[in-house]
Amino acid sequence: MQRPAAVPTVQIDNDMVTVTEWRFPPGGETGWHRHGMNYVVVPQTTGPLLLDTPDGQITSQLTTGIAYYRPVGVEHNVINPSDTEFVFVEIELKQA
C-alpha cells in the first residue's frame, strides 16, 4: 500500500541543532530511516503514531507538549494511523 509522505520543514539548521517540523497527513509516513543523531521530539498533536521497527510494529501514544528523547541509531518508519493530521517538532542534537 502506498502511503502519503510526511512533510518535513527545517526551521533551524546550525552547528548545534537541526529543528524540523513534521506534518503527517492522515495515513502519512516518513519512510524507513535510521537516526544519525540523538534527538528530542515535541508533539504538537495528541494521538497515536504507529512505528514500524526491526522488532515489529509499536503504537506510541503522544501528548501535545510532552517531549521525549531518543538516542542515535533508532531505526523505524513513523506512520500516522489517524484520519486527522499529526504534527511534531524534531530537534536533532549535533555532536560538539
Coordinates of all heavy atoms in Angstrom, one line a residue:
M1 N 0.8 -1.2 0.0 CA 0.0 0.0 0.0 C 0.9 1.2 0.0 O 1.8 1.4 0.8 CB -0.9 0.0 1.2 CG -1.7 1.2 1.4 SD -2.8 1.1 2.8 CE -2.0 2.1 4.0
Q2 N 0.6 2.2 -0.9 CA 1.4 3.4 -1.0 C 0.7 4.4 0.0 O -0.5 4.7 -0.1 CB 1.3 3.9 -2.4 CG 2.1 5.2 -2.6 CD 3.6 5.1 -2.5 OE1 4.1 4.0 -2.7 NE2 4.3 6.1 -2.2
R3 N 1.5 4.9 0.9 CA 1.1 5.9 1.9 C 1.5 7.3 1.4 O 2.6 7.4 0.8 CB 1.6 5.6 3.2 CG 1.1 4.4 3.9 CD 1.6 4.3 5.3 NE 1.1 3.1 6.0 CZ 1.9 2.0 6.2 NH1 3.1 2.0 5.9 NH2 1.3 1.0 6.8
P4 N 0.8 8.4 1.8 CA 1.3 9.7 1.5 C 2.6 10.0 2.4 O 2.7 9.4 3.5 CB 0.2 10.6 1.9 CG -0.7 9.8 2.7 CD -0.5 8.4 2.4
A5 N 3.4 10.9 1.9 CA 4.6 11.2 2.6 C 4.4 12.3 3.7 O 3.6 13.2 3.4 CB 5.7 11.7 1.6
A6 N 5.0 12.1 4.8 CA 5.0 13.2 5.8 C 5.9 14.3 5.3 O 6.8 14.1 4.5 CB 5.7 12.6 7.1
V7 N 5.6 15.5 5.6 CA 6.2 16.7 5.1 C 7.1 17.3 6.1 O 6.6 17.9 7.1 CB 5.2 17.7 4.6 CG1 5.9 19.0 4.0 CG2 4.3 17.1 3.5
P8 N 8.5 17.3 5.9 CA 9.4 18.0 6.8 C 9.7 19.4 6.4 O 9.8 19.7 5.2 CB 10.7 17.1 6.7 CG 10.6 16.6 5.3 CD 9.2 16.5 4.9
T9 N 9.7 20.3 7.4 CA 10.1 21.7 7.2 C 11.2 22.0 8.2 O 10.9 22.1 9.4 CB 8.9 22.7 7.4 OG1 7.8 22.3 6.5 CG2 9.3 24.1 7.1
V10 N 12.4 22.2 7.7 CA 13.5 22.6 8.5 C 13.4 24.0 9.0 O 13.3 24.9 8.1 CB 14.9 22.3 7.8 CG1 16.0 22.8 8.7 CG2 15.0 20.8 7.5
Q11 N 13.3 24.2 10.3 CA 13.2 25.6 10.8 C 14.5 26.2 11.2 O 14.7 27.4 11.1 CB 12.2 25.6 12.0 CG 10.8 25.1 11.6 CD 9.9 25.0 12.8 OE1 10.3 25.0 13.9 NE2 8.6 25.0 12.5
I12 N 15.4 25.3 11.8 CA 16.8 25.8 12.2 C 17.7 24.7 11.8 O 17.5 23.5 12.0 CB 16.9 26.0 13.7 CG1 15.9 27.0 14.2 CG2 18.3 26.3 14.1 CD1 15.8 27.1 15.7
D13 N 18.9 25.1 11.2 CA 20.0 24.1 10.9 C 21.3 24.9 11.1 O 21.6 25.7 10.2 CB 19.8 23.5 9.5 CG 20.8 22.4 9.3 OD1 21.5 21.9 10.2 OD2 20.9 22.0 8.1
N14 N 21.9 24.6 12.3 CA 23.2 25.3 12.5 C 24.2 24.3 13.1 O 24.0 23.1 13.0 CB 23.0 26.5 13.5 CG 22.4 26.1 14.8 OD1 22.7 25.0 15.3 ND2 21.6 27.0 15.4
D15 N 25.3 24.7 13.7 CA 26.3 23.8 14.2 C 25.9 23.0 15.3 O 26.5 22.0 15.6 CB 27.5 24.6 14.6 CG 28.2 25.3 13.4 OD1 28.0 24.8 12.3 OD2 29.0 26.2 13.6
M16 N 24.8 23.4 16.0 CA 24.4 22.7 17.3 C 23.2 21.8 17.1 O 23.1 20.7 17.7 CB 24.0 23.8 18.3 CG 25.2 24.7 18.7 SD 26.6 23.8 19.4 CE 26.0 23.2 20.9
V17 N 22.2 22.3 16.3 CA 20.9 21.5 16.2 C 20.3 21.6 14.7 O 20.6 22.5 14.0 CB 19.8 22.0 17.1 CG1 20.3 21.8 18.6 CG2 19.5 23.5 16.9
T18 N 19.5 20.6 14.4 CA 18.6 20.8 13.3 C 17.2 20.6 13.9 O 16.9 19.6 14.6 CB 18.8 19.7 12.2 OG1 20.1 19.8 11.7 CG2 17.8 19.8 11.1
V19 N 16.3 21.6 13.7 CA 14.9 21.6 14.2 C 14.0 21.5 12.9 O 14.1 22.3 12.0 CB 14.6 22.9 15.0 CG1 13.2 22.9 15.4 CG2 15.6 23.0 16.2
T20 N 13.2 20.4 12.9 CA 12.3 20.1 11.8 C 10.9 19.9 12.3 O 10.7 19.2 13.2 CB 12.8 18.8 11.1 OG1 14.2 19.0 10.7 CG2 12.0 18.6 9.8
E21 N 10.0 20.6 11.6 CA 8.6 20.4 11.9 C 8.1 19.3 10.9 O 8.4 19.4 9.7 CB 7.7 21.6 11.6 CG 6.2 21.4 11.8 CD 5.4 22.5 11.3 OE1 5.3 22.7 10.0 OE2 4.8 23.2 12.1
W22 N 7.5 18.2 11.4 CA 7.0 17.1 10.6 C 5.5 17.2 10.6 O 4.9 17.2 11.7 CB 7.5 15.8 11.2 CG 8.9 15.5 10.8 CD1 10.0 15.8 11.6 CD2 9.4 14.8 9.7 NE1 11.1 15.3 11.0 CE2 10.8 14.7 9.8 CE3 8.7 14.3 8.5 CZ2 11.5 14.1 8.8 CZ3 9.5 13.7 7.6 CH2 10.9 13.6 7.7
R23 N 4.9 17.2 9.4 CA 3.4 17.2 9.3 C 3.0 15.9 8.6 O 3.5 15.6 7.5 CB 2.9 18.4 8.5 CG 3.1 19.7 9.3 CD 2.4 20.9 8.6 NE 2.3 22.0 9.6 CZ 1.3 22.1 10.4 NH1 0.2 21.3 10.4 NH2 1.3 23.2 11.3
F24 N 2.2 15.1 9.2 CA 1.7 13.8 8.7 C 0.3 13.9 8.3 O -0.6 14.1 9.1 CB 1.8 12.7 9.8 CG 3.2 12.4 10.2 CD1 4.0 13.2 11.0 CD2 3.8 11.2 9.8 CE1 5.3 12.8 11.4 CE2 5.1 10.8 10.2 CZ 5.8 11.6 11.0
P25 N 0.0 13.8 7.0 CA -1.4 13.7 6.6 C -2.0 12.4 7.1 O -1.3 11.5 7.5 CB -1.4 13.8 5.1 CG 0.0 13.2 4.7 CD 0.9 13.6 5.9
P26 N -3.3 12.3 7.1 CA -3.9 11.0 7.5 C -3.2 9.9 6.7 O -3.1 9.9 5.5 CB -5.4 11.1 7.2 CG -5.6 12.6 7.3 CD -4.3 13.3 6.8
G27 N -2.8 8.9 7.5 CA -2.1 7.7 6.8 C -0.7 8.0 6.4 O 0.0 7.1 5.8
G28 N -0.2 9.2 6.6 CA 1.2 9.6 6.1 C 2.3 8.9 6.9 O 2.1 8.4 8.0
E29 N 3.5 8.8 6.2 CA 4.6 8.1 6.8 C 5.9 8.9 6.5 O 6.0 9.6 5.5 CB 4.7 6.7 6.3 CG 5.1 6.6 4.8 CD 5.2 5.1 4.3 OE1 5.3 4.2 5.2 OE2 5.3 5.0 3.1
T30 N 7.0 8.6 7.3 CA 8.3 9.2 7.0 C 9.0 8.3 6.0 O 9.9 8.8 5.3 CB 9.1 9.2 8.3 OG1 9.3 7.9 8.8 CG2 8.6 10.2 9.3
G31 N 8.8 7.1 5.9 CA 9.6 6.1 5.2 C 10.7 5.6 6.2 O 11.0 6.2 7.2
W32 N 11.2 4.4 5.9 CA 12.2 3.8 6.8 C 13.5 4.6 6.8 O 14.0 5.1 5.8 CB 12.5 2.4 6.2 CG 13.3 1.6 7.2 CD1 14.6 1.4 7.2 CD2 12.8 0.8 8.3 NE1 15.0 0.6 8.2 CE2 13.9 0.2 8.9 CE3 11.5 0.6 8.8 CZ2 13.7 -0.6 10.0 CZ3 11.3 -0.2 9.9 CH2 12.4 -0.8 10.5
H33 N 14.0 4.9 8.0 CA 15.2 5.7 8.2 C 15.9 5.3 9.5 O 15.3 4.7 10.4 CB 14.9 7.2 8.2 CG 13.9 7.6 9.3 ND1 12.6 7.4 9.2 CD2 14.2 8.3 10.4 CE1 12.0 7.9 10.3 NE2 13.0 8.4 11.1
R34 N 17.2 5.7 9.6 CA 18.0 5.5 10.8 C 18.4 6.9 11.2 O 19.0 7.6 10.4 CB 19.2 4.6 10.5 CG 20.1 4.4 11.7 CD 21.3 3.5 11.3 NE 22.0 3.1 12.5 CZ 22.9 3.9 13.1 NH1 23.2 5.1 12.6 NH2 23.6 3.5 14.1
H35 N 18.3 7.2 12.5 CA 18.7 8.5 13.1 C 20.2 8.5 13.3 O 20.7 7.7 14.0 CB 17.9 8.7 14.4 CG 16.5 9.1 14.1 ND1 16.1 10.4 14.0 CD2 15.4 8.4 14.0 CE1 14.8 10.5 13.8 NE2 14.3 9.2 13.8
G36 N 20.8 9.5 12.7 CA 22.3 9.7 12.8 C 22.7 10.6 13.9 O 23.9 10.8 14.2
M37 N 21.7 11.1 14.7 CA 22.0 11.9 15.8 C 21.0 11.6 17.0 O 19.9 11.1 16.7 CB 21.8 13.4 15.5 CG 22.8 13.9 14.5 SD 22.4 15.6 14.0 CE 21.7 15.3 12.3
N38 N 21.4 11.9 18.2 CA 20.4 11.9 19.3 C 19.4 13.0 19.0 O 19.6 14.0 18.3 CB 21.1 12.3 20.6 CG 22.2 11.3 21.0 OD1 22.0 10.1 20.9 ND2 23.3 11.8 21.6
Y39 N 18.1 12.8 19.5 CA 17.1 13.7 19.1 C 16.0 13.8 20.2 O 15.8 12.8 21.0 CB 16.5 13.4 17.7 CG 15.7 12.1 17.6 CD1 14.3 12.1 17.7 CD2 16.4 10.9 17.5 CE1 13.6 10.9 17.5 CE2 15.7 9.7 17.3 CZ 14.3 9.7 17.4 OH 13.6 8.5 17.2
V40 N 15.2 14.9 20.1 CA 14.1 15.1 21.0 C 12.9 15.4 20.1 O 13.0 16.1 19.1 CB 14.4 16.3 21.9 CG1 13.1 16.7 22.7 CG2 15.5 16.0 22.9
V41 N 11.8 14.8 20.4 CA 10.5 15.1 19.7 C 9.6 15.8 20.7 O 9.4 15.4 21.8 CB 9.9 13.8 19.2 CG1 8.5 14.0 18.7 CG2 10.8 13.2 18.1
V42 N 9.0 16.9 20.1 CA 7.9 17.7 20.9 C 6.6 17.6 20.1 O 6.5 18.2 19.1 CB 8.4 19.1 21.1 CG1 7.3 19.9 21.9 CG2 9.7 19.2 21.7
P43 N 5.7 16.7 20.5 CA 4.4 16.6 19.8 C 3.6 17.9 19.8 O 3.6 18.6 20.9 CB 3.7 15.5 20.6 CG 4.7 14.8 21.3 CD 5.8 15.8 21.6
Q44 N 3.0 18.2 18.7 CA 2.1 19.4 18.6 C 0.7 18.9 18.5 O -0.2 19.7 18.5 CB 2.5 20.2 17.4 CG 3.9 20.6 17.3 CD 4.3 21.5 18.5 OE1 3.8 22.6 18.6 NE2 5.2 21.1 19.3
T45 N 0.5 17.6 18.5 CA -0.8 16.9 18.4 C -0.8 15.8 19.4 O 0.2 15.2 19.7 CB -0.9 16.3 17.0 OG1 -0.7 17.3 16.0 CG2 -2.3 15.7 16.8
T46 N -2.0 15.5 20.0 CA -2.2 14.4 20.8 C -2.8 13.2 20.0 O -3.7 13.5 19.3 CB -3.1 14.7 22.0 OG1 -2.4 15.7 22.8 CG2 -3.4 13.5 22.9
G47 N -2.2 12.0 20.2 CA -2.8 10.9 19.5 C -1.7 9.8 19.3 O -0.6 10.0 19.7
P48 N -2.1 8.7 18.6 CA -1.1 7.7 18.4 C -0.3 7.8 17.1 O -0.7 8.5 16.1 CB -2.1 6.4 18.2 CG -3.3 7.0 17.5 CD -3.4 8.4 18.1
L49 N 0.9 7.3 17.1 CA 1.7 7.1 15.9 C 2.1 5.6 15.9 O 2.3 5.0 17.0 CB 3.0 8.0 16.0 CG 2.8 9.5 15.7 CD1 4.1 10.2 15.8 CD2 2.1 9.7 14.3
L50 N 2.1 5.1 14.7 CA 2.5 3.7 14.5 C 3.9 3.6 14.1 O 4.3 4.4 13.1 CB 1.6 3.0 13.5 CG 1.8 1.6 13.2 CD1 1.6 0.7 14.4 CD2 0.9 1.1 12.0
L51 N 4.8 2.8 14.7 CA 6.2 2.7 14.4 C 6.5 1.3 13.9 O 6.3 0.4 14.5 CB 7.0 3.0 15.6 CG 6.7 4.3 16.4 CD1 7.5 4.3 17.7 CD2 7.0 5.5 15.6
D52 N 6.9 1.3 12.6 CA 7.5 0.0 12.1 C 8.9 0.0 12.5 O 9.7 1.0 12.3 CB 7.5 0.0 10.5 CG 6.1 -0.3 10.0 OD1 5.3 -1.0 10.7 OD2 5.9 0.0 8.8
T53 N 9.3 -1.0 13.3 CA 10.7 -1.2 13.8 C 11.3 -2.5 13.4 O 10.5 -3.4 12.9 CB 10.7 -1.1 15.3 OG1 10.2 -2.3 15.9 CG2 9.9 0.1 15.8
P54 N 12.6 -2.7 13.5 CA 13.2 -4.0 13.2 C 12.5 -5.1 14.1 O 12.6 -6.3 13.7 CB 14.6 -3.8 13.6 CG 14.9 -2.4 13.4 CD 13.6 -1.7 13.9
D55 N 11.9 -4.8 15.2 CA 11.3 -5.8 16.1 C 9.8 -5.9 15.9 O 9.1 -6.5 16.7 CB 11.6 -5.5 17.6 CG 13.1 -5.5 17.8 OD1 13.8 -6.4 17.3 OD2 13.6 -4.7 18.6
G56 N 9.3 -5.2 14.9 CA 7.8 -5.3 14.6 C 7.2 -3.9 14.9 O 7.9 -2.9 15.1
Q57 N 5.8 -3.9 14.8 CA 5.1 -2.6 14.9 C 4.8 -2.3 16.4 O 4.5 -3.2 17.2 CB 3.8 -2.7 14.2 CG 4.0 -2.6 12.7 CD 2.6 -2.4 12.0 OE1 1.6 -2.8 12.5 NE2 2.7 -1.9 10.8
I58 N 5.0 -1.0 16.7 CA 4.7 -0.5 18.0 C 3.8 0.7 17.9 O 4.0 1.5 17.0 CB 6.0 0.0 18.7 CG1 6.9 -1.2 18.9 CG2 5.7 0.6 20.1 CD1 8.4 -0.8 19.3
T59 N 2.8 0.9 18.7 CA 2.0 2.1 18.7 C 2.4 2.9 19.9 O 2.5 2.4 21.0 CB 0.5 1.7 18.9 OG1 0.0 1.0 17.8 CG2 -0.4 3.0 19.0
S60 N 2.7 4.2 19.6 CA 3.2 5.1 20.6 C 2.1 6.2 20.8 O 1.8 6.8 19.8 CB 4.5 5.7 20.2 OG 5.0 6.6 21.1
Q61 N 1.7 6.4 22.0 CA 0.7 7.4 22.3 C 1.4 8.7 22.7 O 2.2 8.7 23.7 CB -0.2 7.0 23.4 CG -1.3 8.0 23.7 CD -2.4 8.1 22.6 OE1 -2.7 7.2 21.9 NE2 -2.9 9.3 22.5
L62 N 1.2 9.8 21.9 CA 1.9 11.1 22.2 C 0.9 12.1 22.7 O -0.3 12.0 22.3 CB 2.6 11.6 20.9 CG 3.9 10.9 20.5 CD1 3.8 9.5 20.2 CD2 4.6 11.7 19.4
T63 N 1.4 13.0 23.5 CA 0.6 14.1 24.0 C 1.2 15.4 23.7 O 2.4 15.6 23.9 CB 0.5 13.9 25.6 OG1 -0.1 12.6 25.9 CG2 -0.4 15.0 26.2
T64 N 0.4 16.3 23.3 CA 0.8 17.7 22.9 C 1.7 18.3 24.0 O 1.3 18.3 25.2 CB -0.4 18.6 22.6 OG1 -1.2 18.1 21.6 CG2 0.0 20.0 22.3
G65 N 2.9 18.7 23.6 CA 3.8 19.4 24.6 C 4.6 18.5 25.5 O 5.5 19.0 26.2
I66 N 4.4 17.2 25.4 CA 5.2 16.3 26.3 C 6.3 15.7 25.4 O 6.1 14.8 24.6 CB 4.3 15.2 26.9 CG1 3.1 15.7 27.6 CG2 5.1 14.2 27.7 CD1 3.5 16.6 28.8
A67 N 7.5 16.2 25.6 CA 8.7 15.9 24.8 C 9.2 14.5 25.2 O 9.0 14.1 26.4 CB 9.7 16.9 25.0
Y68 N 9.9 13.9 24.3 CA 10.7 12.7 24.6 C 12.0 12.6 23.9 O 12.1 13.3 22.8 CB 9.9 11.4 24.4 CG 9.5 11.1 23.0 CD1 10.3 10.4 22.1 CD2 8.3 11.6 22.5 CE1 10.0 10.2 20.8 CE2 7.9 11.4 21.1 CZ 8.8 10.6 20.3 OH 8.4 10.4 19.0
Y69 N 13.0 11.9 24.4 CA 14.3 11.8 23.8 C 14.6 10.4 23.3 O 14.1 9.4 23.9 CB 15.3 12.1 25.0 CG 16.7 11.7 24.6 CD1 17.6 12.6 23.9 CD2 17.2 10.5 25.1 CE1 18.9 12.2 23.6 CE2 18.5 10.1 24.8 CZ 19.3 10.9 24.1 OH 20.6 10.6 23.8
R70 N 15.3 10.3 22.2 CA 15.7 9.0 21.7 C 17.2 9.1 21.3 O 17.7 10.2 20.8 CB 14.9 8.6 20.5 CG 13.5 8.3 20.7 CD 13.3 7.0 21.5 NE 11.9 6.7 21.8 CZ 11.2 7.1 22.9 NH1 11.8 7.7 23.8 NH2 9.9 6.7 23.0
P71 N 18.0 8.0 21.4 CA 19.4 8.1 21.1 C 19.7 7.8 19.6 O 18.8 7.3 18.9 CB 20.0 6.9 22.0 CG 18.8 5.9 22.0 CD 17.6 6.8 22.1
V72 N 20.9 8.2 19.2 CA 21.3 7.9 17.9 C 21.2 6.4 17.5 O 21.2 5.6 18.4 CB 22.8 8.4 17.7 CG1 23.7 7.5 18.6 CG2 23.3 8.3 16.3
G73 N 20.9 6.1 16.3 CA 20.8 4.8 15.8 C 19.4 4.2 15.8 O 19.2 3.1 15.2
V74 N 18.4 4.9 16.2 CA 17.0 4.4 16.2 C 16.6 4.2 14.7 O 16.9 5.1 13.9 CB 16.0 5.3 16.9 CG1 14.6 5.0 16.6 CG2 16.3 5.4 18.4
E75 N 16.0 3.0 14.4 CA 15.6 2.8 13.0 C 14.1 2.5 13.0 O 13.6 1.7 13.8 CB 16.3 1.5 12.5 CG 17.8 1.7 12.3 CD 18.4 0.4 11.7 OE1 18.4 0.3 10.4 OE2 18.9 -0.4 12.4
H76 N 13.4 3.2 12.1 CA 11.9 3.0 12.1 C 11.3 3.7 10.9 O 12.0 4.5 10.2 CB 11.3 3.5 13.4 CG 11.5 4.9 13.7 ND1 11.4 5.4 15.0 CD2 11.9 6.0 13.0 CE1 11.7 6.7 15.1 NE2 12.0 7.0 13.9
N77 N 10.0 3.4 10.7 CA 9.2 4.2 9.8 C 8.0 4.7 10.7 O 7.4 3.9 11.3 CB 8.6 3.3 8.7 CG 7.7 4.0 7.7 OD1 7.7 5.2 7.6 ND2 6.8 3.2 7.1
V78 N 7.8 6.0 10.7 CA 6.8 6.5 11.5 C 5.5 6.8 10.7 O 5.6 7.4 9.6 CB 7.2 7.9 12.2 CG1 6.2 8.5 13.0 CG2 8.5 7.7 12.9
I79 N 4.4 6.3 11.1 CA 3.1 6.3 10.4 C 2.0 6.9 11.2 O 1.9 6.6 12.4 CB 2.7 4.9 10.0 CG1 3.8 4.2 9.2 CG2 1.4 4.9 9.2 CD1 3.7 2.7 9.2
N80 N 1.3 7.8 10.6 CA 0.1 8.4 11.3 C -1.1 7.5 10.9 O -1.6 7.5 9.8 CB -0.2 9.8 10.8 CG -1.4 10.4 11.3 OD1 -2.1 9.9 12.2 ND2 -1.8 11.6 10.8
P81 N -1.6 6.7 11.9 CA -2.7 5.8 11.6 C -4.1 6.5 11.7 O -5.1 5.9 11.4 CB -2.6 4.8 12.7 CG -2.1 5.5 13.9 CD -1.1 6.5 13.3
S82 N -4.1 7.8 12.1 CA -5.4 8.5 12.3 C -5.9 9.1 11.0 O -5.2 9.2 10.0 CB -5.1 9.6 13.3 OG -4.6 9.1 14.5
D83 N -7.2 9.6 11.1 CA -7.8 10.2 10.0 C -7.7 11.7 10.0 O -8.4 12.4 9.3 CB -9.2 9.7 9.8 CG -10.1 10.0 11.0 OD1 -9.6 10.6 12.0 OD2 -11.3 9.6 11.0
T84 N -6.8 12.2 10.9 CA -6.6 13.7 11.0 C -5.0 13.9 11.0 O -4.3 13.0 11.2 CB -7.1 14.3 12.3 OG1 -6.6 13.6 13.4 CG2 -8.6 14.2 12.4
E85 N -4.6 15.1 10.7 CA -3.2 15.4 10.6 C -2.5 15.3 11.9 O -3.2 15.5 13.0 CB -3.0 16.9 10.1 CG -1.6 17.3 10.0 CD -1.4 18.7 9.5 OE1 -1.9 19.6 10.2 OE2 -0.8 18.9 8.5
F86 N -1.3 14.8 11.9 CA -0.5 14.8 13.1 C 0.8 15.6 12.9 O 1.4 15.5 11.8 CB -0.1 13.3 13.5 CG 0.4 13.1 14.9 CD1 -0.4 12.7 15.9 CD2 1.7 13.5 15.2 CE1 0.0 12.6 17.2 CE2 2.2 13.3 16.5 CZ 1.3 12.9 17.5
V87 N 1.2 16.4 13.9 CA 2.4 17.3 13.8 C 3.3 17.1 15.0 O 2.8 17.0 16.2 CB 1.9 18.7 13.7 CG1 3.1 19.7 13.6 CG2 0.9 18.9 12.6
F88 N 4.6 17.0 14.7 CA 5.6 17.1 15.8 C 6.8 17.9 15.4 O 7.0 18.0 14.2 CB 5.9 15.8 16.4 CG 6.7 14.8 15.6 CD1 8.0 15.0 15.2 CD2 6.0 13.7 15.1 CE1 8.7 14.0 14.4 CE2 6.7 12.7 14.3 CZ 8.0 12.9 14.0
V89 N 7.5 18.4 16.3 CA 8.8 19.1 16.1 C 9.9 18.2 16.5 O 9.9 17.7 17.7 CB 8.9 20.5 16.8 CG1 10.3 21.1 16.6 CG2 7.8 21.4 16.2
E90 N 10.9 17.9 15.7 CA 12.0 17.1 16.0 C 13.3 17.9 16.1 O 13.5 18.8 15.2 CB 12.2 16.0 14.9 CG 13.4 15.2 15.0 CD 13.6 14.3 13.8 OE1 14.0 14.8 12.8 OE2 13.3 13.1 13.9
I91 N 14.0 17.8 17.2 CA 15.2 18.5 17.4 C 16.4 17.5 17.5 O 16.5 16.7 18.4 CB 15.2 19.3 18.8 CG1 13.9 20.2 18.8 CG2 16.4 20.1 19.0 CD1 13.4 20.5 20.1
E92 N 17.2 17.6 16.4 CA 18.4 16.7 16.3 C 19.6 17.4 16.9 O 19.9 18.6 16.6 CB 18.7 16.3 14.9 CG 17.5 15.5 14.3 CD 17.8 15.2 12.8 OE1 17.8 16.2 12.0 OE2 18.0 14.0 12.5
L93 N 20.3 16.7 17.9 CA 21.4 17.3 18.6 C 22.7 16.9 17.9 O 23.1 15.7 18.0 CB 21.3 16.8 20.1 CG 20.0 17.0 20.8 CD1 19.9 16.3 22.1 CD2 19.7 18.5 20.9
K94 N 23.4 17.9 17.4 CA 24.6 17.6 16.7 C 25.8 17.5 17.7 O 25.8 18.1 18.7 CB 24.9 18.7 15.7 CG 23.9 18.8 14.6 CD 24.2 19.8 13.6 CE 23.1 19.9 12.5 NZ 23.4 20.9 11.5
Q95 N 26.7 16.6 17.4 CA 27.9 16.4 18.3 C 28.8 17.6 18.3 O 29.0 18.2 17.2 CB 28.6 15.1 17.9 CG 27.8 13.8 18.0 CD 27.3 13.5 19.3 OE1 28.0 13.6 20.3 NE2 26.0 13.2 19.4
A96 N 29.3 18.0 19.5 CA 30.2 19.2 19.5 C 31.5 18.8 19.0 O 32.0 17.7 19.0 CB 30.3 19.6 21.0

